Amino acid sequence: MIEAEWWDYDDADEMAEAVAGDIGFIIESALDARGEALIAVPGGKTPLPIYEKLAQARLNWKKVTIIPTDDRLVPLSDEKSNVRAIAQAFLPTGARVFPITSDISDYKLAGNSANAKLADLKFPLDLAWLGVGSDGHTASIFPGPDLDEALNSPKGRHAVGVMPDPLPPEAPFARVTLTRSAILSARTVLITVTGEEKKALLEQAIEDGQSSKLPIGRVLAEAEQPIDIHWAA
Ligand code: 6PG
């Protein structure tokens, strides 16, 4: 049974303030314990105000490495690139920002390229921060031909290239994503969602667990740690 702890907020600003504080604390605890922090953050719109608040935190940012949980296979200069938004928000703090990769046009090769890059980072993550799509995807673990590979890749295979099917109309790209094992090996897994629809979807996915048809349910079903869920109306 997935152990989920929910925090509800009246609006996105209130959630941004609280979640930025929580993530700042996670980073500070990692720095105190190990002298460095490695966190993965989601793309999309929900995280943007949280990036902004978090980047204002007074931390030893030069010891913090930030990677996207997933990215679209587009040039780093493309406004649809997740790592582009992350770099804009966090490079000014002095943090290191690594692309999970976006230099491979062939999505099947993207996973290998990403694994090579990520192999230099000291997993496990201190934080895997996830968003959830209205189709139940998380990171870029989408319904489609690559779902099983993203869910069942062996430990140590941190990333896979995926081709969502159907392609999401707002971002119709091949992608690269952290795998379920990379996400669930994180010391903390935190989810941010907004709106009644996604709250209901996430509650149902958690209730269904392994039998969920939604990628988020399949990812969380194997969680051994409590999942922190922050929801803004
Ligand atoms: C992406 C994101 C994706 C996102 C969800 C939710 O590349 O599209 O990583 O997984 O987290 O789609 O996006 P919103 O928070 O904008 O609804």
Side-chain angles (χ1 to χ4, degrees):
M1 180 65 187
I2 301 167
E3 194 187 333
E5 297 190 61
W6 287 80
W7 280 271
D8 296 356
Y9 306 93
D10 293 334
D11 56 46
D13 280 347
E14 190 189 353
M15 179 165 78
E17 195 76 42
V19 172
D22 285 5
I23 296 174
F25 178 75
I26 289 166
I27 292 172
E28 206 147 36
S29 305
L31 294 175
D32 289 349
R34 288 172 293 281
E36 56 191 356
L38 172 61
I39 67 171
V41 305
K45 296 180 194 60
T46 304
L48 297 177
I50 304 171
Y51 292 174
E52 189 181 337
K53 293 263 186 232
L54 177 59
Q56 294 165 19
R58 298 172 65 77
L59 295 165
N60 187 8
W61 282 106
K62 63 182 182 304
K63 294 292 185 185
V64 181
T65 301
I66 306 173
I67 61 172
T69 54
D70 63 302
D71 217 335
R72 297 84 182 270
L73 293 186
V74 295
L76 297 184
S77 57
D78 188 314
E79 57 149 20
K80 293 284 189 180
S81 159
N82 287 340
V83 75
R84 180 175 183 264
I86 298 164
Q88 281 175 335
F90 292 102
L91 282 181
T93 69
R96 289 194 311 165
V97 175
F98 273 45
I100 187 169
T101 196
S102 59
D103 54 4
I104 295 273
S105 57
D106 176 338
Y107 76 95
K108 272 302 176 196
L109 289 178
N112 301 333
S113 162
N115 277 294
K117 273 194 206 298
L118 298 179
D120 297 338
L121 301 179
K122 289 189 188 145
F123 276 69
L125 297 163
D126 292 296
L127 170 67
W129 169 18
L130 302 174
V132 179
S134 50
D135 62 353
H137 79 263
T138 191
S140 278
I141 304 178
F142 279 87
D146 303 307
L147 178 61
D148 282 347
E149 188 182 4
L151 291 175
N152 303 318
S153 284
K155 279 194 183 313
R157 183 156 179 75
H158 297 317
V160 289
V162 292
M163 180 65 83
D165 179 14
L167 281 173
E170 73 285 356
F173 305 108
R175 292 154 172 258
V176 63
T177 185
L178 290 183
T179 58
R180 170 166 66 182
S181 64
I183 290 167
L184 295 185
S185 66
R187 293 181 176 90
T188 302
V189 177
L190 182 151
I191 296 176
T192 50
V193 286
T194 57
E196 294 294 343
E197 182 198 346
K198 285 191 182 178
K199 179 179 185 183
L201 175 148
L202 194 45
E203 285 172 333
Q204 188 62 54
I206 288 168
E207 191 178 316
D208 294 347
Q210 268 296 11
S211 62
S212 175
K213 300 245 177 315
L214 302 178
I216 184 64
R218 300 282 302 281
V219 168
L220 297 183
E222 302 284 322
E224 291 170 3
Q225 68 272 64
I227 308 294
D228 295 344
I229 302 175
H230 298 264
W231 173 73

